[in-house]
Amino acid sequence: MAKEKTLSDKMEKIVSLCKRRGFVFQGSEIYGGFAGTYDWGPLGVNLHRNVVGEWTKSMNMDHENIAMIDSSIFTAGKVWEASGHVSGFSDPLVICNNCHTKLRADHLLEIIGVVADEKMSELQINKIFDDNRTKLHCPVCGKKDFGKVTAKSLLATSTLGMFEEGDEQVYLRGETAQGIFINYKNILDSGFYSIPFGVAQVGKAFRNEISPRQFLFRKREFEQMEMQYFVSPKDAPVAYEEWKKERMAFYDRLGVDKNKLRWKQHENLVFYAKDAWDIQYEYPFGWNELEGVHYRGDYDLSQHQKFSGVDLSFFDEETKERYIPHVIETSVGVDRMILMLLADAYTEDEMNGEKRIVLRFSPNMAPIKVAVFPLLKNKPQLVEKAREVFVTLKKELGAVVFDDNGNIGKRYRRQDEIGTPYCVTIDFDTLEDGTVTLRDRDTGKQERVEISKLLESLKLN
Ligand code: GAP
């Protein structure tokens, strides 16, 4: 997998484990890679499914008033004009005149402790950059020779449906949120929801990131889990506080270390935002945004009303008031969440005098729940019994594997490395008394359990 200069030791180990065991592969790897893209391998797909499942449950199953949608990646170009992305969704690009590496000016300034915001104008950031030029050097070649800072649009363009000059420019969506705003009225009109209600969606988003980096943290093709909560202006501040509380509590369900999560308020609010807080996680490369919980006022619906000409106001039959609902947004990337889970779970320890790598996933997140082993692969009765146990567990749990490769110690190590909470070994005693050895990933403790009681012995939630 391509190495990034910025990766810490721990990140290097995580990246290497991800490839070795089939969590994540570099996109287009056999062609030398395609920057900013990664492919989920077999274990990555399971982990991904668990993350999305838990998030979906927290939105759709735990609330009566949150609808799920799945909107198109491609939309009318006007959507992105209305949202402000066409004119104002950019990152400050600066190019090293010596080695021609493309860099983010705000990231360079961050290295020397100068805060520059992505919301600053080209003029403002050039001023700050020029004031600090003498202190800034290229992280690749070390030279202090940069060109001017220019704002580069993050929107990825497409030619889908564009056949002649003058056809409206088409974009791949830069966030899933806009698919929700443009469907807000459809959902309201369907008759099952009324203010306040939320709309949640999981889907791909695309951004022309200047320097995709830190593995899954900043990709060009990534996935978002977003929820927009439509609420009356008077109820919005209370709803905002409730959503902040709920979103932080969500990370308990994933078993994430509380000490590595914190709130960070935005210092420079975009003009329409009423308040904006991020949940940050302490990644191996430092504290960074995991999820945004933002109070966006009526900006989004007002913009789409203005650009589309469609009335997006809501009439409250009880209060006889008409208003454009305010929006509370919770927005998190699947990829960032998975990177957090990997970093949080990654541990090196010693068990029975042997060093091991173990992913201490919370069982509900573990990509494989149970591994079943016959003690010896050349004893047909053991293999047959082990297959029987395996098939029974697989029918119930799905994410169960059978492994008869190498000695038991090696098989344990392999499962520890992918975070499998339980290993079940079928041995000669099994044939006599119908019990198996159940081994716990974290403690290494082994106990004899009757096959008929195996399922109830597993703590998987
Ligand atoms: N609708 C609001 C919105 O899109 P954002 O802060 O640009 O806000 C929300 O993105 C979340 O999406 C981030 O907190 C992060 O988890 C994820 N995200 C954003 N850009 C990403 C990227 N290039 N790669 C991976 N995840 C990204």
Side-chain angles (χ1 to χ4, degrees), residues 175 177 207 209 216-219 222 224 226 289-292 329 331-333 336:
E175 60 174 17
R207 292 185 189 177
E209 298 282 353
L216 304 175
F217 186 80
R218 196 176 302 284
K219 296 165 68 182
F222 59 101
Q224 288 186 315
E226 296 201 286
E289 177 184 340
L290 164 69
E291 165 159 1
E329 169 182 81
S331 175
V332 60
R336 272 188 205 184

Side-chain angles (χ1 to χ4, degrees), residues 85 89 118 174-178 181 207 209 212 215-226 228 266 278-279 283 289-292 294 296 329-337:
H85 284 79
F89 190 48
E118 72 235 16
E175 60 174 17
T176 52
Q178 297 307 321
F181 296 131
R207 292 185 189 177
E209 298 282 353
F215 192 37
L216 304 175
F217 186 80
R218 196 176 302 284
K219 296 165 68 182
R220 287 187 175 136
E221 176 183 336
F222 59 101
E223 211 163 342
Q224 288 186 315
M225 299 185 281
E226 296 201 286
Q228 268 68 36
H266 283 210
D278 290 338
I279 297 176
Y283 289 96
E289 177 184 340
L290 164 69
E291 165 159 1
H294 301 167
R296 302 176 62 102
E329 169 182 81
T330 78
S331 175
V332 60
V334 177
D335 316 78
R336 272 188 205 184
M337 210 185 269

